[in-house]
Amino acid sequence: VYRKVTLQECFVKTNKSPIGVRWVIINKGDEQNTDYRVRLVAKELKTDERLDLFAATPPLEAKKLLFSKFASGRGSSRGSPLKLSFIDIKRAYFHAPAIRDVYIDLPEQDWEDGMCGKLEMSMYGTRDAAQNWQNAYENAFKSMGFIQGKASPCCFVHPTRDIKTVVHGDDFTSLADRQNCDWLATELTKYFELKVRAVLGTEANDDKSIRILNRIVSVRYTNPRRLGIS
């Protein structure tokens, strides 16, 4: 994420001291089933109105549209059953190259007198990390042949593979048939480290429920000919 450089370089480039860092420890589980995550983050505080550091998020209606199309029961352009794929990018910001010259204090475990760290990749806690991540996934989707949405830059469509994807931070939600859901996951591994959290569908080997954005999305049958999603 960073490489060591001299403190002198930091002062020459930025006329400031390096940005402080701290370790953040979070238990994503509970007291009985602990799941601790430990991450080094920067402490870059907002000091001005840098509007150029904006990063987009999609409207909730974008995901609802994918769910509605899935619940319609229509197949893909090839006639195959549609699936809802949910992909989580691990440590997303660390996959995004740093754009600015950002210097950080070295953590105690890697301390070296007279040295600091210059970011090679984006670090959590820096102001432009989200924007850099947006640039990273935009470039990845475009290189795979996707067309980016005009109303929302977080929406993508693959015209030949019939894949529709909505990106919300590090969560990718896609609507496609099983073959193309698998293709997308395989292609994304060329750019990012990821986890396929679920592939929802009506077939026996498909997942039937997932929690995303503090909501539970589940597939159910209201009668033998009608599919519902809640």
Side-chain angles (χ1 to χ4, degrees), residues 25-42:
I25 304 174
I26 299 175
N27 180 14
K28 289 200 168 184
D30 52 40
E31 294 182 0
Q32 287 73 36
N33 302 288
T34 58
D35 182 15
Y36 286 103
R37 306 294 175 87
V38 184
R39 180 172 292 156
L40 184 69
V41 303

Side-chain angles (χ1 to χ4, degrees), residues 2 16 107-108 120 127 139 161 171 183 186 211 219:
Y2 65 83
K16 298 178 182 178
E108 179 183 354
E120 298 287 323
R127 293 183 58 192
N139 292 335
R161 290 187 173 271
D171 292 315
W183 174 86
T186 300
R211 185 181 185 90
V219 178

Side-chain angles (χ1 to χ4, degrees), residues 4-7 106-116:
K4 289 183 179 180
V5 299
T6 63
L7 283 170
L106 296 174
E108 179 183 354
Q109 295 81 357
D110 198 26
W111 179 260
E112 187 174 340
D113 190 39
M115 304 293 285
C116 63

Side-chain angles (χ1 to χ4, degrees), residues 8-119:
Q8 181 181 6
E9 178 181 325
C10 172
F11 286 116
V12 169
K13 290 282 189 179
T14 67
N15 199 31
K16 298 178 182 178
S17 300
I19 299 168
V21 296
R22 61 170 293 190
W23 290 101
V24 174
I25 304 174
I26 299 175
N27 180 14
K28 289 200 168 184
D30 52 40
E31 294 182 0
Q32 287 73 36
N33 302 288
T34 58
D35 182 15
Y36 286 103
R37 306 294 175 87
V38 184
R39 180 172 292 156
L40 184 69
V41 303
K43 298 186 292 183
E44 186 176 18
L45 303 178
K46 181 178 180 180
T47 58
D48 55 38
E49 298 293 334
R50 288 289 303 276
L51 297 180
D52 58 316
L53 300 183
F54 170 80
T57 55
L60 183 59
E61 286 76 12
K63 284 188 184 292
K64 287 183 176 180
L65 179 60
L66 296 187
F67 300 160
S68 178
K69 287 181 175 293
F70 171 77
S72 71
R74 299 175 183 175
S76 68
S77 57
R78 302 186 307 168
S80 304
L82 289 175
K83 316 288 182 182
L84 281 170
S85 169
F86 298 85
I87 294 176
D88 176 59
I89 306 299
K90 299 181 179 180
R91 296 172 290 277
Y93 290 175
F94 293 159
H95 294 287
I99 305 300
R100 297 179 297 143
D101 289 330
V102 180
Y103 297 84
I104 61 168
D105 284 331
L106 296 174
E108 179 183 354
Q109 295 81 357
D110 198 26
W111 179 260
E112 187 174 340
D113 190 39
M115 304 293 285
C116 63
K118 182 179 181 182
L119 293 187

Side-chain angles (χ1 to χ4, degrees), residues 36-224:
Y36 286 103
R37 306 294 175 87
V38 184
R39 180 172 292 156
L40 184 69
V41 303
K43 298 186 292 183
E44 186 176 18
L45 303 178
K46 181 178 180 180
T47 58
D48 55 38
E49 298 293 334
R50 288 289 303 276
L51 297 180
D52 58 316
L53 300 183
F54 170 80
T57 55
L60 183 59
E61 286 76 12
K63 284 188 184 292
K64 287 183 176 180
L65 179 60
L66 296 187
F67 300 160
S68 178
K69 287 181 175 293
F70 171 77
S72 71
R74 299 175 183 175
S76 68
S77 57
R78 302 186 307 168
S80 304
L82 289 175
K83 316 288 182 182
L84 281 170
S85 169
F86 298 85
I87 294 176
D88 176 59
I89 306 299
K90 299 181 179 180
R91 296 172 290 277
Y93 290 175
F94 293 159
H95 294 287
I99 305 300
R100 297 179 297 143
D101 289 330
V102 180
Y103 297 84
I104 61 168
D105 284 331
L106 296 174
E108 179 183 354
Q109 295 81 357
D110 198 26
W111 179 260
E112 187 174 340
D113 190 39
M115 304 293 285
C116 63
K118 182 179 181 182
L119 293 187
E120 298 287 323
M121 311 301 288
S122 300
M123 177 175 278
Y124 288 81
T126 55
R127 293 183 58 192
D128 59 347
Q131 185 183 71
N132 295 346
W133 165 238
Q134 180 178 327
N135 292 336
Y137 73 70
E138 283 179 353
N139 292 335
F141 274 98
K142 290 176 182 178
S143 67
M144 289 186 288
F146 281 82
I147 298 174
Q148 189 173 20
K150 293 182 179 180
S152 172
C154 305
C155 300
F156 298 86
V157 173
H158 198 294
T160 57
R161 290 187 173 271
D162 194 19
I163 307 173
K164 299 174 179 64
T165 298
V166 176
V167 178
H168 192 286
D170 56 6
D171 292 315
F172 294 3
T173 304
S174 301
L175 179 69
D177 59 24
R178 170 66 76 166
Q179 180 178 340
N180 283 304
C181 284
D182 294 342
W183 174 86
L184 177 60
T186 300
E187 288 298 305
L188 284 173
T189 58
K190 298 177 181 178
Y191 304 91
F192 315 119
E193 185 180 358
L194 59 84
K195 177 182 179 181
V196 179
R197 298 183 57 212
V199 179
L200 268 58
T202 58
E203 297 179 300
N205 62 335
D206 295 331
D207 298 305
K208 295 297 185 289
S209 182
I210 187 175
R211 185 181 185 90
I212 182 172
L213 300 179
N214 292 322
R215 293 170 172 82
I216 296 177
V217 181
S218 58
V219 178
R220 57 184 171 78
Y221 290 98
T222 54
N223 62 55

